[in-house]
Amino acid sequence: MTSLYRLDAPATAIAAAFAAEAGDDPWSGDYVAPARPAPVIVSDGRGGARRFLRPKLWGVPPPPRGDRPVTHVRNLASPFWIGTLRHAELRCLIPATAFAEWSGPAGARRQQWFSIPSQPIFAFAGIHRDGEDWPCFAMLTTDPNRLVGQYQPHAMPVILHPDQHATWLSSEWRDAVAVAASFPAQLMTVTDSPPM
């Protein structure tokens, strides 16, 4: 599963790409790994009309028997996630410019970086939480498309098309869950290093 992505754009450019208010987010561009902060896009909870850039940590608190923060949402019917997923105000967009997967045999594993040439800044579907130990988020995953599957056969992040952003942020769950699908492989590229 994806445990590293890049967001190589400043907060002002990210906010402009998603019609969001940047506020005083200090993000200037960097990599993101679990337990590191990154900006996400949240809506105002009233039909998603207003969007805001908010810094949060990657990884939500674990379930009762867990011992590590949870960074990915794979089972969308899980009782642990369903309450969050059904509330549009708890869904978010996770901006990114590329994401990494590791491939190859043990001892010779290499990073492969995936990006979307037509979307210099794209968005993963995510959920976010506040009011616990820290403001946090997790990304949704789905079955890999044929390109990602060559390197990571188990899962890939749910990447949203721009016209799906509003659906993810504000629609009823039965409509929002329909966008949680594999992104078309032909719209993606893969390289040995992150695109700059």
Side-chain angles (χ1 to χ4, degrees), residues 94-163:
I94 305 168
T97 52
F99 68 96
E101 296 290 358
W102 289 87
S103 66
R109 294 173 62 75
R110 296 177 51 192
Q111 280 184 344
Q112 303 296 323
W113 287 89
F114 299 87
S115 60
I116 304 170
S118 65
Q119 295 180 58
I121 306 173
F122 58 90
F124 303 126
I127 56 100
H128 71 102
R129 293 183 176 171
D130 287 318
E132 300 181 34
D133 293 337
W134 58 85
C136 53
F137 70 93
M139 71 173 59
L140 271 67
T141 62
T142 188
D143 294 332
N145 62 29
R146 61 181 165 74
L147 177 64
V148 176
Q150 294 175 42
Y151 305 95
Q152 165 53 266
H154 303 295
M156 68 176 286
V158 171
I159 301 170
L160 299 171
H161 296 275
D163 63 358

Side-chain angles (χ1 to χ4, degrees), residues 5 7 9-16 20-30 32 36-42 51-57 93 95 135 137:
Y5 69 91
L7 180 50
T12 52
I14 298 164
E21 298 172 31
D24 58 359
D25 193 308
W27 186 263
S28 60
D30 206 347
V32 184
R36 283 185 53 100
V40 299
I41 309 291
V42 300
R51 298 176 183 177
F52 306 90
L53 205 61
R54 293 289 185 257
K56 296 181 185 276
L57 293 179
L93 304 176
F137 70 93

